[in-house]
Amino acid sequence: MDAPKFDKSKLPSRHVSEGPARAPHRSYFYAMGMTEAEIHQPFVGVATCWNEAAPCNISLNRQAQAVKLGVKQGLGSPREFTTITVTDGIAMGHEGMRSSLVSREAIADTVELTMRGHCYDAIVGLAGCDKSLPGMMMAMVRLNTPSVFIYGGSILPGRIDGRDVTVQDVFEAVGQHQAGNLSTCELEKLEAVACPSAGACGGQFTANTMACVSEAIGLALFNSSGAPAPYESRDQFCVASGLAVMKLIEKNIRARDIVTRESLINAARVVACTGGSTNAGLHLPAIAHEAGIDFHLDDVCDIFRETPYFVDLKPGGQYVAKDLYEAGGVPVVLRELRKAGLIHDDCMTASGKTIGEELDVITREADGKVIHSVENPISTTGGVVGLKGNLAPDGAIVKIAGMSGNELQFTGPARVFECEEDAFAAVQERSYREGEVLVIRNEGPAGGPGMREMLATTAALSGQGMGKKVALITDGRFSGATRGFCVGHVGPEAAHCGPIALLKDGDMITLNALSGEISVDLTEEELEARKADWTGPRETIYASGALWKYAQLVGRTKFGATTHPGAKDEKHVYADL
């Protein structure tokens, strides 16, 4: 095969590697052991979120070495760098969770700064935990270089008493322990086996949801997200991704050639049909924002509503990411969606081929167990749906995978809490009543600050056997592992005097996932009167530092809770400088 030809006069790395004026710059590259030939090849940033914070990130460093082999095979010069990750499972249920969503912006920003500062021509990005996946993809679209994304892979399921378990079971076991239904010894046995390997949480929680998105949106090679983190076969996908990015440079296929409105629709379809995380309703608009595409929570929810749910994954279903991989993975899911005419198959992918061209070579059929046929779905509506009404004019979102019948509607009196800690304490003390709608406010992006997830609270409710006997709404977020009638992203948030800020104990709230309603039994005049009496946002302890800065900059939840104007206002594209 002929070697690819690269014209560095049109690539960003010319600014640090070409011509007599760059002799000082080249001296640094020689200091790192690069050869003259390597200095004059395209520079490919190999960005990882490797750290020792949690199992989801621990294997990324090893996988990056395989990516670098692929880049070198394609006659590129890989330049590895790392960025931060805040891992939700470790950050859950305490002040650390405020850092989680903020880390998405920090990841995108630091990848951008590294690429800009060192003039890299393309990027292969590896990520393992919830916010690192969208953060890395946002950076790719923002920079608009040739880009390939790689998921670090899921964790293997734990086993106890002959059944598979995940970290979700441990969170729920805390509630069972508090209720006196599980001994301390049994809890300790479960926690010791639930997470047996490297990799991200195994259910269709946020990490695996966004991993599926990476394939459906086109930034990842087909089936690259499926193999669990410990599988050595992941290295083959990493080598292939390194080779793929060199082909993208050669063909000048960039991130925004791949991420289009149509590919975002494809991604939302996959979230819906797999019963994915509600957090996708935040991350897809944020990725669209980086491309200057109008694609907001309303758009995402419309797609969720009209897409069948046919992949049976935890937490609403039975299976984990490893099972989906063994059933054929995202390509088989996309193939089912195409049968129903629900996929734009002319969208470009990181392989340099369209979705349709990739699907044409997929022959596996749905197994009817993990992946049901699209003609015989688990339900005709997606596993995640949007709600809107006088309590959430900007919309809200709820995961309904695993719910049915009367579980999809709930009316009850409000029980208002000013923060997650107050709600969690009430759950621990069982000082709430069956039939109530628990309201947790002041947890939005600005008001939190940081838009925390509420898994500790929702899992405790489920563990107490009350997950279906109360509902919960918040201007914060829920983990992809949350189940029950738990409505998140209620907007506008309390800090911006959204209606959630005006609720009082006893107000009757109606939630209806069938009709898409979220309302409170108050007239417009009553809401306006309460607004006139509102004394302003709740004061937080964050008066300086990164969380303060985020609170000043962050935009509305329905637009992805982003912190800069986005591609619509940009005056240059990095890759063209």
Side-chain angles (χ1 to χ4, degrees), residues 533-566:
D533 292 336
W534 187 62
T535 56
R538 176 173 175 262
E539 188 173 299
T540 78
I541 60 172
Y542 297 95
S544 65
L547 290 172
W548 175 86
K549 181 163 47 176
Y550 177 82
Q552 311 311 306
L553 294 172
V554 69
R556 289 156 68 184
T557 300
K558 70 176 293 184
F559 300 134
T562 56
T563 55
H564 69 107

Side-chain angles (χ1 to χ4, degrees), residues 79-274:
R79 311 311 301 156
E80 183 180 355
F81 65 94
T82 61
T83 184
I84 68 159
T85 319
V86 172
T87 298
D88 286 14
I90 299 289
M92 193 70 67
H94 54 85
E95 284 293 300
M97 178 47 71
R98 300 195 191 282
S99 299
S100 171
L101 184 59
V102 181
S103 76
R104 185 192 72 179
E105 309 307 300
I107 290 164
D109 291 350
T110 52
V111 171
E112 177 195 359
L113 292 173
T114 301
M115 293 285 289
R116 284 184 181 275
H118 302 102
C119 299
Y120 295 155
D121 301 314
I123 182 171
V124 180
L126 299 91
C129 194
D130 297 7
K131 307 309 170 294
S132 60
L133 281 80
M136 192 67 73
M137 287 186 266
M138 287 163 66
M140 292 172 173
V141 178
R142 184 185 303 177
L143 292 160
N144 197 29
T145 62
S147 304
V148 180
F149 177 84
I150 305 175
Y151 179 41
S154 68
I155 199 168
L156 294 172
R159 294 285 291 178
I160 193 168
D161 299 330
R163 63 187 176 94
D164 285 350
V165 291
T166 70
V167 72
Q168 173 200 358
D169 296 282
V170 188
F171 274 102
E172 294 185 2
V174 172
Q176 294 171 343
H177 180 263
Q178 290 167 349
N181 298 325
L182 191 75
S183 71
T184 299
C185 181
E186 290 170 317
L187 179 61
E188 290 172 346
K189 286 180 180 178
L190 176 61
E191 72 180 63
V193 301
C195 299
S197 74
C201 299
Q204 193 66 341
F205 312 150
T206 305
N208 281 317
T209 297
M210 296 309 295
C212 292
V213 161
S214 72
E215 287 189 41
I217 209 169
L219 287 171
L221 297 180
F222 258 33
N223 219 25
S224 64
S225 71
Y231 285 19
E232 293 296 323
S233 59
R234 292 214 59 80
D235 287 358
Q236 298 171 30
F237 284 109
C238 292
V239 171
S241 296
L243 280 164
V245 82
M246 297 309 299
K247 284 292 184 184
L248 295 179
I249 296 173
E250 185 180 5
K251 295 178 179 180
N252 194 29
I253 297 173
R254 303 182 184 185
R256 294 185 201 174
D257 298 319
I258 291 171
V259 176
T260 62
R261 183 174 180 81
E262 289 71 28
S263 74
L264 287 158
I265 291 171
N266 290 345
R269 296 268 189 226
V270 166
V271 175
C273 74
T274 60

